[in-house]
Amino acid sequence: MEQEKVEQVPSAEEILAPPSQRTVLLRRLAGPLLSVGMLCLALWALHLLAREVNYHQVRTYVQSISRLRLLLAALFTLLGYGVMTLYDRFALASIGRRLSWRRVTLISFISYAFSNAVGMSLLVSGSIRYRFYIQNGLSTGEVARVVLFCTTSFWLGLLALTGVTLLLVPLPPNLPLAEFSRPLGVLLAVLPLAWLLAGWRLRRPLRLWRWRIGLPAPVIALQQILVGAFDWGLAAAVLYILMPDELNNGFGHFLAIFVIAQIIGLISHVPGGLGVFEAVMLAGFGATGNQALAAPILGALAAFRVIYYLLPLCTATVLVLQREARGLREKSLLTPWFTGLLPSFFAGLTLVSGAVLLFSGATRALPLRMAILSEVLPLSVLEVSHLLASVIGMLLLILARGLQRRLDAAYWLTLVLLLAGAVFSLLKGIDYEEATLLTLLAMALAPAHRLFYRRASLFSTSFSVGWIVAIVAILGCATWLVFFSYKHVEYSTDLWWEFSFHRGGAPRALRALVAAAAAGMLFALASLIRPHKLRHELPSEAELAQALPLIKQFPSAQAHLALMGDKTLLFGPDHKAFLMFDTEGRSWVAMGDPVGADENARRELVWAFLEQCERAGGWPVFYQVNPADLDLYLEVGLNLLKIGEEARVQLDSFNLDGKSRKVLRNTVNKLTREGLRLEIIPAEAVAPLLPRLKEISDAWMRDKNVREKRFSLGAFDPHYLVRMPMATVWQGDQLVAFANLFLNETKQEASVDLMRHMPDGPPGIMDYLFVELMQWARGEGYRWFNLGMAPLAGLHNRRQAPLWNRFGALVFGRGERFYNFRGLQRYKDKFGPEWEPRYMAVPGGIALPMILTNVASLISGGLSGVVRR
């Protein structure tokens, strides 16, 4: 008889288990691969639509555009970016904030110049606005409302303009959506109208899942729609001015094609809609296979890209550099934000410079300039310069990642290659425009050496999936440019060995492309065969011996947890610092700050840990870090969560005098009369006491019905306990309590880890132990006594507090079933400590719940330990 199939119910471990490496990899690749796929499709569509067009025809049309038209296009561009500033002005007015017109204009222009050119407007312009508006006194919530207002206005204006245009002017019949143009126009026009009516009729905030969106008043909603529509109309006017006269069927006909092309380009997620926008424009004007139409359209689109995107981007870059240079002179921007912004900014400019060199090497040089070079330079110099310029372009793409990671070697190599690239640009075709760009970037980068302090190898730098995709996409565009620029040249094997001033453009481009690709492949190969340094193994006795001097010289006594031997130790290259970490799921959790006296070595360890976690596909987490070291984590892009407060008693002012210490004073006096005494056992004398200590520990755990924790606390392990002194409490000859001591040679801080006593011992024995230890430590010259952290203390459940703070405050107040949060804080508070916040540094994104689960499981010795003692 056939057995009945029984449905398998997954266990808790299966549900909470981390996703497979294949699933994780697919998630990381999905977004970048989608953008690359859309870019490839767009380039293929361009190839099909303009297969009869060559580079010379496009350049001829660009050169034929009159200066008057170029001037008008520039003026409309200026007017368009001026209208964009109204987004921010109206947004600030809607939240009741006022900033000077000059500041708002600067912030708006910079954000839109970058987001228009790079794409991903919500991410790019949102991050730039966040950086600048936070400096101008806005809160995080206010910045988020400004970004939401601007983004909504952006789309409302585009939808309104598209809908009205399609209702008045239908799409050309050759477009796929032509038969649906009027229904599509109605749909797109209804959306802004619904937004306007909703603001008029609905007085309460609109609730979407757990979000509450306040709808603007009708006047403000109308401002959003009109400003957005005016902005897009001016952008269309810029391209309309540059289009050939023979395609002029009226601005309405042109606008219908333009707005559809912009929408498709925006939803494609290709940076700047590159290729997608051009392909739709060609198809909309019926230029498929029509050489006479395709070449002028492509020329107009190229000029539009330069005037509307590239020139504002260059202007914004200069403004940012001037602003940061002024702040550097005034010493006002030397903050984690400053060090976090500029390296990424220089990395982006270096990436652009590398792309410019590759694209220049893939296209034909101007005949007049080549004629001048043929009279003053040997052919061999031209050929070598062309080849090396493209190789430098590829190397700059790679070095840009090193600059983002603040590598000293990447800084010097980039400086050298920028200057060399400028020289080769002049020698390969008198490309003084490129040479000027590279030289200006080198001049801006030169005084910023202090930002690139890391001495790590460039080959040890990890490249994210997005970064690899960006490099491959740029190389792919350069390849497409080669074939587009020289499609009229018939390919043959002899072409590779043809050298000529006037007829050697195609061979030079092919050789340069192969050399650039070879340089990238060689770097990738060298990076792949590098040794994998991150080991997840328990430390050896030799490693613990190396760590001990660093622990003793470190101000925080918490560093002694490394001696437990249950966490992997990652040392810096010169062994001047180390950090301890363990893994749970995909979370690689470092306990505390890097340990060491050398600040540069500690900073480098944070970067090394981050990069090696990225290679392993893990999430880097730093648990229980100090406020003084927060810049170490902010500058690598981690977010900070407050996880509690640590109690530290200042020993020189500690005493038992006064009414507030009456209970403590009476307890200590009473136990002293009963014969209790404190004795400090040196580390070398602890081993003989271990059997008696074990009896106390076992009895204490049975009485409390708890089990050993780990990671952030020590456990009763003989190998661990014999490494440090022991504080013992005796009643006559009977050992009744003990605590192992964390003592450093700097005398900055003393602390304890395990604190256990006999269940039938005298009441108040732990109070006695702490008081006597503090008085002993003060006599030994220690400044502070660390009572440890009170988890979730100091978090507030206010309406405007971050979600994590509100959740933590709720657990702190009502989580007594699982952990005595309030009781622990009250117990430590009676010693009169100073409470200092402690944080956890975590990656951004939606992985936070899983990271918190992993950390809790790591500390509690498993998921079951999270919900029981």
Side-chain angles (χ1 to χ4, degrees):
M1 184 175 64
E2 184 180 359
Q3 292 183 345
E4 182 179 349
K5 293 184 179 179
V6 179
E7 183 180 359
Q8 296 292 329
V9 179
S11 64
E13 289 78 6
E14 292 172 331
I15 294 174
L16 293 174
S20 66
Q21 292 294 327
R22 180 178 297 178
T23 303
V24 171
L25 182 60
L26 288 176
R27 289 177 182 175
R28 296 171 65 192
L29 288 174
L33 286 181
L34 176 62
S35 297
V36 172
M38 293 298 297
L39 177 62
C40 293
L41 287 175
L43 292 178
W44 178 249
L46 272 179
H47 171 72
L48 294 178
L49 293 171
R51 55 182 176 269
E52 302 297 331
V53 180
N54 59 55
Y55 173 77
H56 177 73
Q57 294 168 327
V58 175
R59 189 179 66 187
T60 300
Y61 178 79
V62 172
Q63 293 174 341
S64 69
I65 300 176
S66 67
R67 293 183 179 180
L68 178 59
R69 287 195 175 191
L70 294 175
L71 180 60
L72 284 175
L75 289 176
F76 273 99
T77 298
L78 182 62
L79 182 59
Y81 278 88
V83 170
M84 290 180 201
T85 64
L86 296 178
Y87 288 132
D88 291 72
R89 292 178 65 84
F90 291 151
L92 290 171
S94 70
I95 64 172
R97 295 301 297 262
R98 297 182 64 87
L99 293 178
S100 68
W101 177 87
R102 185 170 177 269
R103 289 187 179 183
V104 175
T105 301
L106 178 66
I107 295 171
S108 176
F109 173 73
I110 291 174
S111 63
Y112 280 115
F114 278 93
S115 62
N116 287 345
V118 177
M120 301 174 290
S121 59
L122 181 61
L123 176 63
V124 176
S125 67
S127 62
I128 293 175
R129 282 191 176 93
Y130 175 80
R131 301 293 190 183
F132 286 120
Y133 279 131
I134 285 293
Q135 281 189 322
N136 285 277
L138 271 68
S139 66
T140 302
E142 289 174 329
V143 176
R145 291 167 64 187
V146 168
V147 172
L148 180 61
F149 185 97
C150 295
T151 305
T152 305
S153 304
F154 176 88
W155 278 101
L156 286 173
L158 178 58
L159 295 177
L161 183 63
T162 307
V164 172
T165 303
L166 292 181
L167 288 175
L168 298 177
V169 183
L171 287 173
N174 53 304
L175 282 181
L177 298 175
E179 56 182 320
F180 305 106
S181 61
R182 292 194 183 279
L184 181 62
V186 172
L187 176 63
L188 296 181
V190 162
L191 294 175
L193 184 61
W195 178 262
L196 188 64
L197 294 176
W200 175 46
R201 299 291 297 176
L202 299 179
R203 301 300 181 186
R204 294 182 179 180
L206 186 64
R207 190 175 186 87
L208 295 176
W209 189 39
R210 61 186 181 89
W211 303 101
R212 294 167 62 89
I213 302 176
L215 296 175
V219 174
I220 297 177
L222 186 60
Q223 287 177 344
Q224 289 182 287
I225 296 171
L226 291 178
V227 170
F230 195 29
D231 168 29
W232 283 106
L234 288 171
V238 175
L239 180 56
Y240 181 71
I241 292 170
L242 300 171
M243 291 290 285
D245 293 333
E246 55 267 26
L247 294 176
N248 189 359
N249 294 322
F251 183 70
H253 177 266
F254 169 82
L255 185 60
I257 301 173
F258 177 87
V259 289
I260 289 295
Q262 285 287 1
I263 290 178
I264 296 175
L266 287 170
I267 65 178
S268 70
H269 292 289
V270 175
L274 183 64
V276 180
F277 174 69
E278 284 79 1
V280 177
M281 291 295 292
L282 284 174
F285 282 100
T288 306
N290 189 334
Q291 180 178 347
L293 291 179
I297 293 175
L298 287 176
L301 290 170
F304 174 71
R305 289 279 183 185
V306 172
I307 295 174
Y308 195 79
Y309 293 108
L310 186 57
L311 290 182
L313 177 63
C314 294
T315 305
T317 301
V318 172
L319 290 175
V320 171
L321 290 176
Q322 287 179 346
R323 187 176 186 275
E324 304 305 338
R326 189 184 309 117
L328 186 61
R329 289 196 302 269
E330 298 170 359
K331 305 294 184 181
S332 62
L333 290 177
L334 296 180
T335 63
W337 173 84
F338 176 68
T339 58
L341 173 64
L342 276 189
S344 297
F345 182 72
F346 282 123
L349 293 180
T350 302
L351 190 75
V352 171
S353 300
V356 167
L357 284 175
L358 283 175
F359 295 162
S360 174
T363 55
R364 300 176 63 184
L366 295 176
L368 181 60
R369 299 181 184 182
M370 290 300 295
I372 297 174
L373 284 178
S374 65
E375 297 178 0
V376 297
L377 280 182
L379 178 60
S380 57
V381 174
L382 172 69
E383 297 287 353
V384 171
S385 299
H386 195 282
L387 187 75
L388 292 181
S390 294
V391 172
I392 289 174
M394 172 56 70
L395 294 179
L396 287 177
L397 301 184
I398 296 170
L399 289 172
R401 178 63 168 177
L403 291 180
Q404 188 188 45
R405 294 298 194 178
R406 296 168 176 81
L407 296 182
D408 176 73
Y411 167 81
W412 289 112
L413 283 173
T414 301
L415 269 183
V416 172
L417 291 182
L418 285 173
L419 296 175
V423 173
F424 291 136
S425 295
L426 295 175
L427 294 178
K428 74 181 181 65
I430 317 183
D431 293 323
Y432 58 86
E433 302 91 346
E434 297 169 24
T436 302
L437 172 65
L438 299 176
T439 304
L440 288 176
L441 178 55
M443 292 172 63
L445 185 63
H449 183 213
R450 70 180 68 184
L451 301 176
F452 306 94
Y453 49 80
R454 299 183 57 209
R455 306 289 180 176
S457 169
L458 185 62
F459 292 101
S460 65
T461 302
S462 61
F463 282 74
S464 65
V465 175
W467 201 274
I468 295 173
V469 167
I471 294 177
V472 173
I474 291 173
L475 186 61
C477 290
T479 304
W480 180 84
L481 270 177
V482 169
F483 288 100
F484 176 74
S485 301
Y486 300 101
K487 62 171 60 179
H488 61 286
V489 178
E490 185 177 351
Y491 177 79
S492 66
T493 55
D494 295 334
L495 192 65
W496 293 91
W497 313 111
E498 183 177 334
F499 301 93
S500 169
F501 268 107
H502 302 290
R503 299 173 58 88
R508 274 193 294 272
L510 287 172
R511 290 191 292 265
L513 181 65
V514 171
M521 293 179 63
L522 286 175
F523 180 85
L525 181 61
S527 299
L528 287 173
I529 63 176
R530 67 183 182 274
H532 191 69
K533 295 182 179 179
L534 190 60
R535 298 175 296 107
H536 183 43
E537 300 174 0
L538 296 182
S540 63
E541 288 296 324
E543 288 177 320
L544 292 175
Q546 283 183 332
L548 187 58
L550 299 174
I551 294 171
K552 293 301 182 183
Q553 292 297 321
F554 195 60
S556 175
Q558 177 183 263
H560 285 78
L561 287 172
L563 300 178
M564 182 66 193
D566 63 338
K567 292 174 279 292
T568 302
L569 302 185
L570 177 64
F571 285 89
D574 49 7
H575 288 80
K576 292 183 179 179
F578 75 90
L579 60 78
M580 45 185 150
F581 73 94
D582 202 350
T583 62
E584 181 72 22
R586 284 188 62 195
S587 300
W588 297 67
V589 188
M591 179 62 213
D593 302 295
V595 178
D598 190 307
E599 189 66 23
N600 290 331
R602 297 175 67 237
R603 193 179 299 273
E604 176 57 32
L605 262 178
V606 174
W607 279 104
F609 184 68
L610 177 74
E611 290 174 346
Q612 300 204 42
C613 286
E614 289 176 349
R615 293 194 201 104
W619 299 315
V621 181
F622 291 84
Y623 179 75
Q624 204 169 319
V625 297
N626 290 280
D629 289 326
L630 295 186
D631 63 306
L632 297 178
Y633 315 107
L634 289 173
E635 69 180 24
V636 300
L638 297 179
N639 298 324
L640 298 172
L641 301 178
K642 184 178 180 181
I643 57 174
E645 293 183 340
E646 195 169 76
R648 302 173 74 224
V649 178
Q650 191 168 358
L651 294 177
D652 58 3
S653 60
F654 175 76
N655 58 65
L656 298 179
D657 300 333
K659 185 177 180 180
S660 61
R661 305 287 171 82
K662 180 179 178 180
V663 176
L664 271 180
R665 185 169 63 247
N666 291 339
T667 299
V668 172
N669 291 337
K670 176 179 177 294
L671 294 180
T672 301
R673 289 194 299 269
E674 291 180 4
L676 266 67
R677 72 179 192 278
L678 176 72
E679 183 178 347
I680 305 300
I681 309 297
E684 56 271 13
V686 170
L689 280 177
L690 285 177
R692 302 178 70 176
L693 299 178
K694 185 73 164 68
E695 293 177 5
I696 296 174
S697 177
D698 293 343
W700 180 82
M701 294 183 69
R702 283 194 302 269
D703 180 68
K704 301 294 183 182
N705 192 26
V706 296
R707 62 177 183 171
E708 297 281 12
K709 302 294 184 182
R710 66 189 189 101
F711 189 69
S712 62
L713 295 171
F716 194 95
D717 183 346
H719 295 91
Y720 169 60
L721 296 177
V722 298
R723 299 181 188 276
M724 58 198 74
M726 187 74 64
T728 57
V729 178
W730 300 78
Q731 190 172 29
D733 293 333
Q734 180 69 28
L735 182 61
V736 294
F738 73 90
N740 61 318
L741 295 177
F742 290 168
L743 304 175
N744 52 40
E745 296 176 358
T746 64
K747 299 296 182 76
Q748 285 290 317
E749 188 176 80
S751 186
V752 295
D753 184 20
L754 299 183
M755 299 165 288
R756 295 176 183 180
H757 61 87
M758 292 297 294
D760 56 354
I765 190 170
M766 282 293 102
D767 293 349
Y768 174 86
L769 174 61
F770 275 123
V771 170
E772 291 295 306
L773 267 178
M774 291 179 196
Q775 293 176 342
W776 173 84
R778 180 175 58 192
E780 293 293 317
Y782 286 89
R783 295 183 57 194
W784 297 89
F785 192 89
N786 194 323
L787 295 172
M789 190 176 73
L792 304 182
L795 276 67
H796 301 289
N797 191 9
R798 300 192 182 101
R799 175 173 293 183
Q800 295 183 348
L803 180 61
W804 162 251
N805 286 38
R806 297 169 66 182
F807 173 75
L810 179 66
V811 175
F812 181 80
R814 303 183 182 182
E816 301 298 307
R817 164 65 183 82
F818 304 108
Y819 194 86
N820 190 18
F821 295 105
R822 284 192 181 276
L824 180 62
Q825 186 195 34
R826 284 195 295 265
Y827 178 80
K828 295 179 179 182
D829 206 35
K830 66 184 178 181
F831 295 98
E834 295 183 13
W835 291 96
E836 189 175 85
R838 290 293 178 265
Y839 298 88
M840 180 165 62
V842 297
I846 61 175
L848 180 60
M850 198 64 202
I851 290 174
L852 295 176
T853 302
N854 290 338
V855 172
S857 176
L858 193 62
I859 295 171
S860 303
L863 286 174
S864 59
V866 177
V867 296
R868 68 181 179 89
R869 296 186 178 184

